[in-house]
Amino acid sequence: MTTTLAAGWKEYAEEWEARIGAFTEFAPAGTAPSNKAAAAADGKSPLAGLPFAVKDNIAVRGFRLTCASKLLAGLESPYTATAVQKIIAHGAFPVGKTNLDEFGMGSSTDNSGIKVTNNPWDTVRVPGGSSGGSAAAVAAGIVPFALGSDTGGSIRQPAAFCGVVGLKPTYGAVSRCGLVAYASSLEGIGVLADSVERCRAVFQAMRGADPMDQTSHEAPAGAAATRESAGKGVIGVLSPEAVAAAVASAARGSGAGADASALAEAAEAAQLEPEVREGFEKAKAGLAELGYTLREVQVPSLKYGVPAYYTIATAEASANLARFDGVRYGKRPDWAENPDELVDKAREAGFGPEVKLRILLGAFVLRSGFQDRFYLRAQRIRAGIRASFEALLGDADYTDSAPPPCAAILLPVFPTRAFGRGPSALSPFMQKAADLYTCCANLAGLPALSFPASVEGGLPVGVQLLGRAFAEERLLDIAAAYTARCPIEHPAGWKGFWQS
Ligand code: GLN
């Protein structure tokens, strides 16, 4: 049986956990000794016998399900998410739930209502977010992989901040059953892992249609052929300079009434810090050495990606979070004069400031008579972004008469490396503006893979590859070739307990 955990692992995990606080609930003894699935799958799956962690907005029976919200502090999940069930069937076993920005809203994990999580590379810095606990746990070597969710970058950005691999699958490729909804049309469950091959194994285990999620589906027949072995394809490069210039011109052209200083800030947020630029250049050089042809591409509507993303995400959040009212879900106040006051009190005490802000914003963009000004416009931008990417990568039906121009598109993940707290923090507004490079994959419903390109100034820099619908395997192939050639080191104190 491979379920016997390596000697010293528990102590190692607890020592790291005391420094980084990745978990909202940690059960290092886990379910290992009684795990029947592990015994059944032993030797048959590369996941057999491996411990893994699950972001605390994904249900695992017997564990808490807090979404890092005070409102749900006492909730224990009565069932297990389909994706988690499938991984358990491969013989891996959950050892805990990981911290996040409350309900997945944020880019630092500092919006957690429960605790602070630190970056294993430098514990005064954030691990990124919202799947920051999952990224930190994998980077520290506590677990070889963890599950996260990605609505606008929440797997890829913390993966980049912590130097691990992060996959946001095609919309619908993995069942959302058991994922607490934030913005249902944008999000999905994905993987954070210590290697590309581990990421592939986890994705393969959990993908597929699920009767419990009507938006889930199998890959179309043609998708299986999208593998990349020879390394001869064209990789489109979305140049960060061109994107930043487009945002700046959109900011200038936005006309009267707009808040000029906020728009200027948004344009500034799109610029890469020098170390991230350096990592991006290294990724380009490495891919070129592997035999790929790099070609500059443009996606003009991308400059409107962030406003469209935050319009749609907050609109859906305001509807999805209505159930957390102290009646159906959530901590109920001790006393209220009437039902309205009860709901008010429960939400006032339970939600953190970022969640309240987004519910208000969502209610604002959806208010009657104004939908065409905000929500419907955002949906049109979304369709435009998707069409631009499909023109470059091919669409989801796989019946092309000619091969699509690009095998994948390379772009930065986030304009900065892991940032600090206090005065060195990135402001909440800048954090949102900086989602520009990640949120486009969610708007388009396309797969995107973040992997470490290099370490600059002691901190990892990630880049991402965006692909055609259901072409995850191709993205994994390209990243596998790159990371085999240009591997990065681990944070100081890291010890490897699992072979990749
Ligand atoms: N930064 C994004 C946000 O705050 C990411 C969210 C996510 O992917 N869950 O909405």
Side-chain angles (χ1 to χ4, degrees):
M1 278 269 296
T2 47
T3 42
T4 323
L5 285 161
W9 172 76
K10 188 169 171 282
E11 294 70 25
Y12 173 85
E14 282 169 350
E15 227 170 82
W16 262 111
E17 176 56 10
R19 290 174 55 206
I20 60 174
F23 289 84
T24 53
E25 182 177 6
F26 189 39
T31 44
S34 59
N35 191 334
K36 290 195 202 99
D42 194 16
K44 294 193 198 104
S45 166
L47 304 181
L50 295 179
F52 70 104
V54 181
K55 185 177 181 179
D56 203 3
N57 63 347
I58 300 171
V60 184
R61 191 182 166 161
F63 283 87
R64 263 170 268 157
L65 182 55
T66 68
C67 301
S69 179
K70 289 192 172 70
L71 196 87
L72 298 179
L75 184 68
E76 192 184 300
S77 178
Y79 72 105
T80 299
T82 303
V84 177
Q85 278 177 22
K86 287 183 165 190
I87 291 168
I88 292 174
H90 278 248
F93 54 95
V95 290
K97 303 298 295 290
T98 54
N99 201 18
L100 62 148
D101 290 300
E102 189 175 359
F103 291 105
M105 300 179 183
S107 303
S108 64
T109 305
D110 279 359
N111 293 343
S112 167
I114 293 190
K115 68 191 290 192
V116 172
T117 297
N118 299 320
N119 191 311
W121 290 78
D122 179 359
T123 51
V124 301
R125 293 173 190 267
V126 303
S130 63
S131 310
S134 286
V138 173
I142 297 176
V143 283
F145 71 92
L147 298 192
S149 64
D150 193 309
T151 312
S154 280
I155 287 176
R156 290 160 286 154
Q157 188 258 22
F161 276 24
C162 292
V164 302
V165 177
L167 173 67
K168 171 232 170 296
T170 309
Y171 185 75
V174 174
S175 168
R176 281 184 295 116
C177 171
L179 168 66
V180 178
Y182 153 26
S184 326
S185 79
L186 295 161
E187 68 203 358
I189 294 178
V191 193
L192 296 106
D194 60 357
S195 74
V196 174
E197 291 314 326
R198 187 102 64 202
C199 182
R200 191 195 301 272
V202 178
F203 172 64
Q204 286 178 349
M206 68 183 187
R207 69 186 302 171
D210 174 17
M212 299 295 284
D213 174 4
Q214 295 301 306
T215 63
S216 65
H217 37 162
E218 298 296 337
T226 53
R227 294 298 299 259
E228 199 74 19
S229 48
K232 298 268 162 31
V234 173
I235 295 183
V237 178
L238 210 52
S239 126
E241 292 76 37
V243 174
V247 175
S249 79
R252 278 195 299 275
S254 59
D259 179 342
S261 72
L263 291 169
E265 252 189 283
E268 193 191 316
Q271 308 272 5
L272 305 191
E273 69 172 3
E275 293 83 355
V276 175
R277 155 133 304 287
E278 182 67 26
F280 191 67
E281 290 304 322
K282 284 185 183 161
K284 276 164 62 181
L287 291 169
E289 277 167 29
L290 285 165
Y292 290 97
T293 306
L294 302 183
R295 189 179 299 154
E296 185 102 352
V297 295
Q298 306 286 345
V299 178
S301 44
L302 199 65
K303 56 181 178 282
Y304 303 120
V306 168
Y309 167 74
Y310 277 97
T311 302
I312 295 168
T314 57
E316 291 184 16
S318 71
N320 277 328
L321 269 56
R323 77 192 71 168
F324 302 114
D325 54 6
V327 179
R328 285 167 292 181
Y329 289 97
K331 193 171 179 304
R332 190 170 300 183
D334 294 334
W335 170 255
E337 288 290 344
N338 54 55
D340 281 349
E341 192 186 293
L342 183 139
V343 172
D344 283 355
K345 276 183 152 180
R347 287 164 77 86
E348 167 57 31
F351 287 145
E354 184 64 32
V355 175
K356 287 176 184 158
L357 172 76
R358 294 193 190 200
I359 291 172
L360 287 173
L361 212 57
F364 176 81
V365 298
L366 286 178
R367 100 208 119 116
S368 72
F370 287 84
Q371 274 129 330
D372 52 349
R373 235 170 100 181
F374 303 113
Y375 188 70
L376 298 178
R377 214 157 148 197
Q379 294 291 9
R380 282 197 292 275
I381 293 169
R382 178 179 197 171
I385 290 177
R386 183 174 180 114
S388 304
F389 279 120
E390 285 185 346
L392 294 167
L393 296 161
D395 60 20
D397 71 8
Y398 284 82
T399 53
D400 324 276
S401 46
C406 300
I409 293 172
L410 178 74
L411 63 170
V413 178
F414 202 74
T416 70
R417 295 164 302 156
F419 48 85
R421 299 190 169 96
S424 58
L426 205 59
S427 76
F429 179 83
M430 291 288 260
Q431 286 185 38
K432 293 187 178 72
D435 283 339
L436 156 93
Y437 297 104
T438 46
C439 71
C440 49
N442 305 79
L443 288 166
L446 298 176
L449 177 70
S450 159
F451 59 96
S454 66
V455 176
E456 305 295 336
L459 294 172
V461 174
V463 293
Q464 58 173 336
L465 286 167
L466 199 135
R468 186 178 193 169
F470 296 100
E472 285 85 356
E473 295 283 352
R474 169 183 272 166
L475 305 183
L476 291 159
D477 290 341
I478 301 172
Y482 180 88
T483 53
R485 196 184 173 95
C486 313
I488 66 157
E489 63 261 38
H490 293 280
W494 178 91
K495 226 169 114 184
F497 280 89
W498 302 276
Q499 300 286 348
S500 285

